[in-house]
Amino acid sequence: MSCPDTALLAALQTVLDPNTGKDFVSTRQLKNLRIDGSDVSFDVELGYPAQSQIPALRQALIAAARTVAGVGNVSVNLSVKIVAHQVQRGVALLPGVKNIIAVASGKGGVGKSTTTVNLALALAAEGARVGILDADIYGPSQPMMMGVSGTPESLDGKSMEPLEGHGVQVNSIGFLVNPDDAMIWRGPMASQALDQLLRQTNWKDLDYLIVDMPPGTGDIQLSLSQRVPITGAVIVTTPQDIALLDAKKGLKMFEKVGVPILGIVENMAVYCCPNCGHTEHIFGADGGKAMAQQYGVDFLGALPLNLSIRQQADAGCPTVVAEPEGEIAAIYKSLARQVAVKVAQRAKDFSAKFPTISISKNS
């Protein structure tokens, strides 16, 4: 006895994507449904990395299919396909990179680099190919945070091979200069150096390149946001009014150049005393959440003021790899999933599908 496909689709429609709240049937992510007697098979394609969630999703889909009378063996093929999404108008995509996510703050010292590194490692843990570009020319911190040292190799004398740490590709001005040297460069020089770091690195088939932006809204930030194909930006702040004041300027800069805001992350949200358990909102409460509501953007999550986050990043083994099953790593992973889902919901980039048109003056 075989089951009717309408009943089967109706049953499968009850399974919701935990990240989007939508089912896989109406979103057309469920494909190639085949019914052969009592045997049922189908494919489900996700547009974001979700390695940790795939087993539970598969079980939920199998269980839903088996509620239909006549269904016997159920085979589900769950796969992930990450594609390039729309960037600012008139900016070409970068070779070897599908999506670029800028992590920015208007103010220094709010934990932007720590967020960048843990976001990148969380996406990699979920199965994505990830790179980090340390765009903070004057204060590069990714080499230390990723526990990576050395100088990028050049195979052709023109381009650089990215270094690698914890399975993530990395490049930074910190690999090219003495760690103790101050970068005494004017804006145009720094912008040019950054452009070279970005475009002359042989990024290898990245799903996401996470850019650790320098704080502020000056020359470098403007050059990056206008000339680099950015899929979206994540704004990092603390709940403190002064930090929020500057974070709002960073948000406005991206809006002016047509880069969508993927969400806001609040760092140092609350301090919990490890001895007595007393909690204290040292920098104020819910400032990032209020800012997200004010500007109509997503609030991605709040990180506590915690000694281990700082110690692990300083030691070159950030929280997501140091304590992958820990409570704080879970917050970073939730943040990363939300960012990936927001990117997946953006319009796709179809520029690669169009033919290149060349005009000859001789014809």
Side-chain angles (χ1 to χ4, degrees):
M1 176 186 172
S2 66
C3 64
D5 58 350
T6 49
L8 188 57
L9 287 171
L12 292 170
Q13 207 160 353
T14 62
V15 180
L16 301 181
D17 183 332
N19 302 297
T20 64
K22 296 176 181 175
D23 69 273
F24 299 106
V25 178
S26 62
T27 55
R28 297 183 181 178
Q29 288 169 275
L30 192 143
K31 301 171 182 180
N32 305 325
L33 177 63
R34 291 177 292 275
I35 302 168
D36 183 9
S38 63
D39 292 349
V40 169
S41 66
F42 54 88
D43 303 331
V44 172
E45 191 176 88
L46 302 174
Y48 56 87
Q51 203 162 269
S52 65
Q53 296 178 326
I54 281 177
L57 267 178
R58 182 181 283 111
Q59 288 306 315
L61 288 161
I62 290 170
R66 284 185 176 154
T67 62
V68 179
V71 170
N73 185 50
V74 182
S75 173
V76 183
N77 176 39
L78 264 159
S79 62
V80 171
K81 186 182 179 184
I82 300 166
V83 300
H85 291 271
Q86 218 170 57
V87 297
Q88 312 94 302
R89 191 173 293 176
V91 183
L93 292 182
L94 207 63
V97 180
K98 290 174 188 168
N99 300 287
I100 296 179
I101 298 165
V103 179
S105 67
K107 183 175 174 59
V110 296
K112 170 184 50 60
S113 296
T114 310
T115 301
T116 298
V117 73
N118 280 293
L119 169 62
L121 291 167
L123 287 168
E126 287 289 7
R129 289 181 63 86
V130 185
I132 295 175
L133 174 71
D134 190 351
D136 198 344
I137 295 290
Y138 299 112
S141 51
Q142 290 303 333
M144 178 188 249
M145 287 189 172
M146 286 294 283
V148 179
S149 60
T151 305
E153 193 183 359
S154 179
L155 302 177
D156 59 3
K158 297 175 185 175
S159 59
M160 294 172 274
E161 300 301 310
L163 296 177
E164 195 167 300
H166 307 297
V168 169
Q169 298 171 40
V170 194
N171 207 356
S172 167
I173 195 75
F175 296 136
L176 303 170
V177 297
N178 189 312
D180 299 328
D181 287 349
M183 303 301 291
I184 310 170
W185 288 354
R186 293 192 186 275
M189 248 180 105
S191 296
Q192 188 181 355
L194 185 54
D195 200 58
Q196 284 179 301
L197 272 178
L198 179 76
R199 297 181 194 281
Q200 292 178 13
T201 301
N202 289 325
W203 304 109
K204 295 172 180 66
D205 191 27
L206 295 182
D207 296 316
Y208 306 100
L209 176 62
I210 317 296
V211 179
D212 184 6
M213 297 275 286
T217 52
D219 273 357
I220 298 172
Q221 294 86 343
L222 198 56
S223 296
L224 258 172
S225 51
Q226 285 179 322
R227 295 169 57 190
V228 175
I230 301 173
T231 316
V234 172
I235 305 293
V236 180
T237 185
T238 63
Q240 191 180 3
D241 288 346
I242 294 295
L244 290 162
L245 190 70
D246 290 341
K248 289 171 184 177
K249 291 172 184 171
L251 184 146
K252 285 289 183 189
M253 178 193 74
F254 284 115
E255 282 184 345
K256 283 181 180 175
V257 294
V259 172
I261 305 299
L262 300 173
I264 292 171
V265 176
E266 184 178 275
N267 265 334
M268 310 177 206
V270 63
Y271 174 71
C272 180
C273 176
N275 298 318
C276 68
H278 173 70
T279 58
E280 188 84 54
H281 291 274
I282 294 172
F283 296 108
D286 294 332
K289 197 177 281 186
M291 179 181 162
Q293 288 173 343
Q294 181 185 352
Y295 290 97
V297 298
D298 285 359
F299 180 68
L300 299 173
L303 276 305
L305 180 62
N306 188 288
L307 181 63
S308 68
I309 298 176
R310 194 273 300 166
Q311 286 176 328
Q312 288 157 353
D314 282 357
C317 191
T319 307
V320 169
V321 287
E323 294 179 49
E325 305 306 319
E327 194 180 326
I328 294 168
I331 300 171
Y332 281 123
K333 286 176 180 178
S334 166
L335 186 160
R337 272 195 296 270
Q338 290 178 74
V339 167
V341 168
K342 290 282 287 179
V343 168
Q345 290 169 342
R346 299 268 309 138
K348 293 177 183 175
D349 182 274
F350 294 107
S351 59
K353 296 191 185 300
F354 296 123
T356 304
I357 299 170
S358 58
I359 299 168
S360 169
K361 292 182 180 179
N362 300 326
S363 57

